[in-house]
Structures are given as C-alpha cells and as structure tokens.
C-alpha cells in the first residue's frame, strides 16, 4: 500500500472500481424497526448500542463494495462523550474491515487550537494506547478563518501520511449565498478559495498525481464544478449531495479526470434505503439487502458517466 | 435573571463591571510546575486530572471578577472522549460558580447535521439526566456554508434561551485573506456576512436591546471594526485576540456602544500569566495570584477605554 493518503485513496477507488463514499450518518429515528423497537429513545446506552449494531452491519455490507466511508461526527457528538467514544471505536472497526475512513468534522481554528484538533482527530498517537479506537485516515476542515489556519492540519497530515478535505463549495441549498458571491476581480469567493487551496495541495502530491489535500465540492454544484476542477487539478474531489440531497451521477461528470480523481458521497439514500419505496417493496425487512442494492445502483449510475 | 441569553450576558457584564471573557484553553505544557511535575505527559488520565485541577482553580479565581468564560473545545477533544467528558463536567462547574459559559466549538454543517450538533452542544436535554455535566449557555458557529446552515442552531438557541456567536471576522494574522476580500459591490466578504447575520440577530433581540445571536470579531481587526459594528448594531461582539494575540483595549473601542454590547476575550495571557516576566517576578509560584492580577490589569486597561 502506498504511503500517501491521496495515493491510497486513488488506489482503493481503482481496486473497488467504485468512486463511492458511504456516509455514516447514524440517525436513530430512521433505523430499521428491528433496531429501534423496545428501545426508549431517552435511554442513551440503549440507543448507542443500537447505533453500534446498525453501523457495524452497514460497514460489513458496504466494505466489499466501496473504498471509503465518511463518519459524520455530529451524529456521535449528539450523545456527548459516549457518542464520541462510539465514533472512534466504529472507525477502528471500519479500518479493520479494510475501508479507508474520512472523519467529517469540519473543524477550523487558529494556530495552536487547530494543532490540538489535528492531534485529537488525525494523529494516531491519540489512539495508539487505546484498544478498539482509531483516528480516521482523513478529516474535513473548514478554511473560512484563513489559509494560515489550515497549516497545523497540513503539518499533521504530512507527518502521519493522512489527508484533508478542505470545504470549497458545499452541497446545501443556501451554499451559494456566501460561497458564490462575486469578487471585484470576477472570480467567485469559492474560486478564489480553490486557487489558494491548490497551492497547498500541490505540496503533497503523490505518485498517483493526486494530493493528500483534497477538497469538498457539493455534487449539486454543476454550475461551478468545471471551474473549480480547473483550479484544483491535483485535488481529489469529495462530492457530497448524491441521492437524498438531489444530485445525480451526471452532475458529477466534470469532477472526474480520466475517470478518476473524485469520490461521490451518499449517506441517507444508502443507509435508509429500506424506507425508499423502490427498495421496500422488493426487500421488505431485509434492510441490509436494500443497503447493498442502493450501493450497486449508485455504482451502475456512476458507471454510465465514467464509461 | 432575564430569560434571553443576550440579556443575561449584558446584565452579567454590567454587574461585574467587566466586559471580559476568560478563555479556558488548558494546555498542559504551559501549566504551572506544581501541576505538571511527576506527571507523564503520555498518561492521559493523569494529564486530565491535572487539567481538571488547573481549570477548577482558574474558574474559582476568575468567577468573582468576570461574567463569562469561553471553553475551547479543541484542547479537550485532543484527549478524545475522556477530554470531552471533562469539557462537559468543567462547564457544569463553571455554571455552578455563577459564570456564563460559551462553548468555543466553531461548528457548522447542513440541516439535519447542524441540528445534531445543536442538540449535543446547546440543548440541556443532552445533559439533563447526567450528574455533573452541562451544556454551555452559548456556542460559536461557523457560517461559511450559508445562512441556511445557521437556522438549526438558531432554532435550538431560541427554544432553550441560549445564544450563538457567529464568526464574522476572526483574529488570526491570515484572517483577511478570505474574509476581507472585496466583492464587486464594494463590500468585503465579512461586511456582507455581517449584514446577513444581522437579519438573523434581529429576530432574537431582548429587553437589553441586544440579541442572543452575537458575533465573533477579532479584537485585532481595528480597520474593519467600526464598519462591522454599524452593520451589526444589535449583536454582542465577542472579541478574541486580546493579550497573547496582540490586541489592546484601545483597539476594541469601536466595538462598544454606550460602554456596552461587547466582551473582550483573553485566554493565554491570563491563564499563563505566571510565565510572563511582569507577573513572575512579583508572584513567584503563586500562579493563581498572577491569574487574578492579569484579569485586574485587563479590567483597568479596558476601563480606560470605557470611562
């Protein structure tokens, strides 16, 4: 396995032949009934046990099919420190199954504070002495505070062969309001950001031609995708927004370069496929079969664009 | 005590006659020697015990002097879930001492995810059944992803009489790069942000005339302070950057309106005053006396501007 995160991810995408990231967003309310019945939603221990079982079974289902999963920290932080313990523990499980793991934490802060975040969230030293806990292979970071605030994260990523995904253009409906605003030089704010992040990404490019400093670009952002890709030729694009947020495979086309360099992320449309009429009718209570089929359908959808 | 967070903070500032927030940034390397000697920095339990003792003694020292403290989440997350447990536990301690507490977490994410963050970090339901744990009175949030991503936080703040401080212009040296960039309409990006955040803040104004939706504006940002204040007349300004980051009281002058409406935050210059020659010579090993004197000196410095 190559050392640099960017190379490892490009390799894993190729070996699974699936540029797919499954988002681990454990939302108890949406779980299959077999994992919620008889559980009091106010009983945190019981809810966390259920989150553990649900997530483990999702990971087992998707591990043979996809290269990478993305854990959404918020759904664990909701359960305070017990949730955070589950986060690190389930990341260790995912890594043991051969999956690459992105921690979707969207942190960002000034120098010494950013360094503390990087240590806790990216540096294995934090978990080395703890059984059944691991830090992710990469984390998402928020660059709003300035490029200087990214440096401590880049430093730890470089020292530990890990990666970052810097928010450049997000997938939410209101994302354009602050990110697509036009600067006096004609670029949008995100385009300016993309050019600056590219300078940082160029410092950590591996043999695949891609950097360990990737970027988050909403799969929903077709209008600006090409422009951002041109400005960030060496960053792996992590593209959230597929499925539940409305993006299609076709919308991600210009994020790919020679059929690689991007990974499309879907969370709710895969994890809760059992609630989708399309799958419910066919699979009934077999929710894991629905998860698997949703991944296979997404793969087929992306294949059409990449073939 | 008034119900709305904005009113509670304005009241507390007035009753302490000190527009000062002490930043709780527990950095083990910087602790007084009595709290580090005989401790292996790799022994997380021992380090966390030391963080507990240091923070408790800082809180006891500053509680009679200042209205509010700000816990920097990163220095707790560095120690994974055990650190997070310490965070919630020490926040409960601070509140029991009559301090208002800001959780400096700088979260920001899309709809359902933002709601999960708000539940874990702001909603007392999360800690109601847990002894010795509490959520803060307000949290810092990052608005980069769009005003729609602030809504779930505002909703929880409104329902729980808590508050937010939205990042508008940060204190770090590189903050201008993305925040001060000029838009085609002549405003800076932060000025645009300020106008949009003001619309949100206006929806939660209390009897003090100030909103529970405050903003973070670096005390170092003199060039833009007046312009941001004009755009945000009803937001309490949380001004980090005093002391270790180089801001002076004079630099915060235009954040205040009729001597109120702002709170200046200092972390390292107060917590680690014992390392400052100015205090070390006088107080020797009595580091708590140095902390107290640093707060009193900061108060005197601000009094000059506000009198």
């Amino acid at each position: 396995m190559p050392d640099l995160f960017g190379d490892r991810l490009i390799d894993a995408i190729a070996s699974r032949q699936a540029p797919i990231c499954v988002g681990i967003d454990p939302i108890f309310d949406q779980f299959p009934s077999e994992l919620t019945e008889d559980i009091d939603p106010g009983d945190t221990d019981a809810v966390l046990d259920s989150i553990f079982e649900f997530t483990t079974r999702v990971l087992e289902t998707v591990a043979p099919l996809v290269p990478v999963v993305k854990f959404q920290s918020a759904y664990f932080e909701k359960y305070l420190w017990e949730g955070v313990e589950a986060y690190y523990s389930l990341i260790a499980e995912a890594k043991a199954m051969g999956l690459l793991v992105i921690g979707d934490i969207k942190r960002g802060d000034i120098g010494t504070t950013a360094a503390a975040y990087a240590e806790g969230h990216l540096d294995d030293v934090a978990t080395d002495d703890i059984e059944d806990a691991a830090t992710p292979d990469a984390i998402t970071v928020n660059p709003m505070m300035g490029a200087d605030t990214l440096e401590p994260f880049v430093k730890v990523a470089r020292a530990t062969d890990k990666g970052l995904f810097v928010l450049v253009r997000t997938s939410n409906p209101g994302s354009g309001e602050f990110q697509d605003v036009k600067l006096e030089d004609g670029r949008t704010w995100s385009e300016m950001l993309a050019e600056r992040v590219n300078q940082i990404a160029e410092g950590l490019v591996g043999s695949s031609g891609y950097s360990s400093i990737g970027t988050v670009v909403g799969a929903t952002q077709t209008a600006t995708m090409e422009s951002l890709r041109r400005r960030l030729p060496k960053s792996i694009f992590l593209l959230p927004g597929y499925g539940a947020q409305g993006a299609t495979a076709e919308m991600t086309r210009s994020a790919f370069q020679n059929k690689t360099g991007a990974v499309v992320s879907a969370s709710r449309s895969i994890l809760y496929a059992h609630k989708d009429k399309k799958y419910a009718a066919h699979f009934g209570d077999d929710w894991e079969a629905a998860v698997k089929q949703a991944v296979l359908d997404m793969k087929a959808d992306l294949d059409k664009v990449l073939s």
Side-chain angles (χ1 to χ4, degrees), chain A:
Chain A
M1 214 137 79
D3 282 331
L4 289 173
F5 170 75
D7 291 342
R8 285 189 283 143
L9 180 54
I10 294 292
D11 263 23
I13 294 169
S15 77
R16 290 283 195 287
Q17 297 193 45
I20 296 176
C21 173
V22 173
I24 304 296
D25 291 17
I27 303 170
F28 182 74
D29 293 347
Q30 311 246 359
F31 283 5
S33 57
E34 66 159 303
L35 294 175
T36 57
E37 57 196 6
D38 309 324
I39 294 181
D40 169 7
D43 179 350
T44 300
D45 288 343
V47 169
L48 281 170
D49 283 348
S50 182
I51 286 176
F52 242 93
E53 183 172 351
F54 175 74
T55 304
T56 302
R57 287 165 67 177
V58 167
L59 292 171
E60 285 168 348
T61 305
V62 305
L65 305 173
V66 304
V68 59
V69 291
K70 173 174 81 63
F71 279 71
Q72 175 47 258
S73 185
Y75 297 111
F76 296 91
E77 291 182 52
K78 181 179 167 179
Y79 301 100
L80 313 183
W81 58 92
E82 293 178 272
V84 174
E85 183 173 7
Y87 169 86
Y88 286 100
S89 173
L90 285 162
I91 286 175
E93 276 201 21
K95 292 174 94 168
M97 293 179 200
L99 286 159
L100 288 169
V101 178
I102 300 166
D104 195 356
I105 62 169
K106 297 190 177 70
R107 300 298 196 266
D109 214 308
I110 65 170
T112 45
T113 307
Y117 276 132
E119 284 176 58
H121 287 278
L122 209 54
D123 195 337
D124 287 329
V125 169
T127 51
D128 266 351
D129 294 334
I130 310 175
E131 217 177 334
D132 303 328
T135 52
D137 298 287
I139 54 173
T140 56
V141 293
N142 182 313
M144 174 189 150
M145 293 178 71
D148 59 332
T149 66
L150 298 177
E151 281 165 22
F153 290 106
V154 173
K155 192 175 163 192
V156 172
R158 182 188 299 276
T160 57
D161 286 334
K162 296 211 168 178
L164 303 177
F165 288 94
V166 183
L167 300 187
V168 166
R169 185 71 173 82
T170 61
S171 59
N172 51 304
S175 58
E177 192 176 11
F178 303 149
Q179 297 165 38
D180 254 3
V181 68
K182 273 275 180 75
L183 308 186
E184 60 179 3
D185 67 12
R187 295 177 298 173
T188 67
W189 189 78
S190 281
E191 287 171 342
M192 171 211 63
L193 196 59
E195 291 179 20
R196 186 67 184 86
V197 173
N198 186 54
Q199 293 170 2
I200 299 168
E202 281 185 333
L204 212 54
V205 175
S207 58
S208 62
Y210 283 95
S211 173
S212 293
I213 313 300
T215 48
V216 176
V217 178
T220 47
Q221 305 310 337
T222 44
T224 191
M225 186 77 76
E226 220 179 299
S227 150
L228 294 176
R229 178 41 103 187
R230 206 166 53 238
R231 290 173 159 87
L232 282 159
K234 289 169 184 170
S235 267
I236 300 171
F237 276 23
L238 175 65
L239 305 156
Y242 181 92
Q245 290 183 57
T248 62
E250 185 55 41
M251 290 162 76
T252 68
R253 185 184 288 273
S254 52
F256 290 91
Q257 304 180 116
N258 296 319
K259 304 183 186 180
T260 188
V263 59
V264 183
S265 187
S267 305
R268 285 168 283 166
S269 61
I270 290 175
L271 267 55
Y272 309 114
H274 66 276
K275 295 175 90 93
D276 183 332
K277 278 182 202 150
K278 186 169 67 172
Y279 300 114
H282 195 76
F283 295 107
D285 287 340
D286 189 353
W287 64 271
E288 288 153 293
V291 166
K292 183 177 177 182
Q293 192 59 49
V295 173
L296 293 174
D297 287 350
M298 180 174 172
K299 186 172 181 312
D301 191 24
L302 285 163
D303 278 346
K304 276 185 276 176
V305 175
L306 292 172
S307 62

